[in-house]
Amino acid sequence: MIFSRNDGYPTDVGTASQLEDMLRHHGLRPTRQRLAVLAVLARERNDATAQGIYASLTRRGEHVGLATVYRTLAALNGCGVVDALMHNPGEVCYRLCGPGHHHHLVCDACHRVVELVDCDLDAWLAERAADHGFTVSGHTVEVSGTCADCRAIV
Amino acid sequence: MIFSRNDGYPTDVGTASQLEDMLRHHGLRPTRQRLAVLAVLARERNDATAQGIYASLTRRGEHVGLATVYRTLAALNGCGVVDALMHNPGEVCYRLCGPGHHHHLVCDACHRVVELVDCDLDAWLAERAADHGFTVSGHTVEVSGTCADCRAIV
DNA sequence: TTTAGTGCAAAAGTTTTGCATGGTC
DNA sequence: GACCATGCAAAACTTTTGCACTAAA
């Protein structure tokens, strides 16, 4: 799996030309700006806000308009390439994630994110929901905790 | 349990004097404004935004400043009296919930919320998290689906 | 050359804050 | 009287949008 990561470390997320192919595959033109946003996401072990990504780009001298960052993230989220996390009120965090069903384990201290890929809650939830007359269309689990690195510091 | 509800229906959430006691119990002065906000939350089977609560109060002729609504919700959330749900980007929803550990089953169509109280995920999550070096401090599950009423309409 | 994407600035929206006033203990 | 809570308006923020311009197909 070339475009997926399983923990937060900056693993191989594809060369520039592979990122281009991915964008094209989703009907998105591989522009300089989109590749730059993807590069920041690929380098980020934590989740990142639109504002934060914009700041990263500016810091590195890559000129990408803030509106473009927002539009790019919306497009990538629409394709399922990035996940949107809403643990903080008032802002959305984005993260380049694997394509399958998974949940997020987030470090309270450093915001590092790990994907939990094995989840078999469906049957259990469907049963509980049926007790209340609901049919289930989806679910998200967010687990908060402390990663090994941060625990070591304290 | 007098201040808890299990589904979204407007059940008995306490008389005015009981609400006063609850506020006092948390070190909050039982002002007209706070009781009014609580009354709106108690009457609401769905979750509600600060803006929506403000609108409800205004509609009923109760004059409570918008800043006061925000401050009241923050205080009640801090006490654990109301839960904050963040399913929509850019706004926080609040809901008067039971005091114990529970999760939320939310109707996609009408935003009705039901609390799921039996949850056994702790051991399973702790194990998965340990595989990645994390210790778990908490978790939230948000289940989306369609309630019986909304399914009937379609 | 046709269409999609970008930049900039303005606008929209939610939430927070400062400070004087009023209510509660 | 001391302290907490409120109201109002301004400010801070994130996010969206309009429109002329640029780049990709």
Side-chain angles (χ1 to χ4, degrees):
Chain A
M1 254 311 144
I2 230 149
F3 300 118
S4 87
R5 302 184 304 171
N6 207 19
D7 57 23
Y9 286 96
T11 58
D12 178 18
V13 287
T15 64
S17 78
Q18 288 169 328
L19 290 174
E20 282 192 30
D21 289 344
M22 176 179 62
L23 287 170
R24 248 187 277 270
H25 179 260
H26 287 102
L28 299 173
R29 295 184 181 171
T31 62
R32 173 184 66 82
Q33 292 86 341
R34 284 173 176 168
L35 291 169
V37 168
L38 275 172
V40 170
L41 285 168
R43 190 180 313 121
E44 182 58 65
R45 67 148 65 175
N46 304 336
D47 50 8
T49 63
Q51 299 285 346
I53 292 167
Y54 176 71
S56 288
L57 291 167
T58 302
R59 211 178 305 123
R60 313 182 110 237
E62 300 246 32
H63 289 280
V64 179
L66 180 56
T68 299
V69 173
Y70 276 101
R71 287 189 272 230
T72 297
L73 290 169
L76 293 174
N77 186 42
C79 298
V81 174
V82 304
D83 284 6
L85 313 188
M86 290 179 290
H87 24 223
N88 299 337
E91 67 181 12
V92 184
C93 293
Y94 294 92
R95 187 169 187 278
L96 194 55
C97 277
H101 179 71
H102 62 267
H103 298 302
H104 298 117
L105 174 56
V106 186
C107 177
D108 292 327
C110 70
H111 264 213
R112 181 176 158 201
V113 180
V114 170
E115 297 177 33
L116 297 177
V117 292
D118 44 350
C119 162
D120 49 355
L121 290 176
D122 280 324
W124 185 77
L125 286 176
E127 195 181 321
R128 291 291 170 294
D131 293 343
H132 295 93
F134 276 64
T135 50
V136 176
S137 62
H139 70 269
T140 61
V141 180
E142 290 247 343
V143 189
S144 55
T146 311
C147 73
D149 294 347
C150 290
R151 209 163 49 249
I153 294 171
V154 182
Chain B
M1 255 310 145
I2 228 147
F3 299 118
S4 89
R5 303 183 305 171
N6 206 19
D7 57 23
Y9 286 96
T11 58
D12 177 17
V13 287
T15 63
S17 79
Q18 287 169 326
L19 290 175
E20 282 192 30
D21 290 342
M22 176 180 60
L23 286 171
R24 248 187 278 272
H25 179 261
H26 287 101
L28 300 173
R29 294 185 180 172
T31 63
R32 173 183 68 79
Q33 292 86 342
R34 285 174 177 167
L35 291 168
V37 169
L38 275 172
V40 170
L41 284 169
R43 190 180 312 119
E44 182 58 64
R45 66 149 64 177
N46 304 337
D47 52 7
T49 63
Q51 299 284 346
I53 292 168
Y54 175 72
S56 288
L57 291 167
T58 303
R59 211 179 303 123
R60 315 181 109 234
E62 300 244 34
H63 289 280
V64 179
L66 179 57
T68 299
V69 173
Y70 276 100
R71 287 190 271 231
T72 298
L73 291 169
L76 293 174
N77 186 42
C79 297
V81 174
V82 304
D83 284 5
L85 313 187
M86 292 178 289
H87 23 223
N88 301 337
E91 68 182 9
V92 184
C93 292
Y94 294 92
R95 188 167 185 276
L96 194 55
C97 276
H101 179 71
H102 63 267
H103 298 299
H104 297 118
L105 176 55
V106 186
C107 177
D108 292 328
C110 70
H111 263 214
R112 181 176 158 199
V113 180
V114 170
E115 298 177 31
L116 298 177
V117 291
D118 44 350
C119 162
D120 266 19
L121 291 176
D122 280 324
W124 185 77
L125 287 177
E127 196 180 320
R128 291 290 171 295
D131 293 344
H132 295 92
F134 276 64
T135 50
V136 175
S137 61
H139 70 270
T140 61
V141 180
E142 291 247 342
V143 189
S144 55
T146 311
C147 72
D149 294 348
C150 289
R151 209 163 48 247
I153 294 171
V154 182

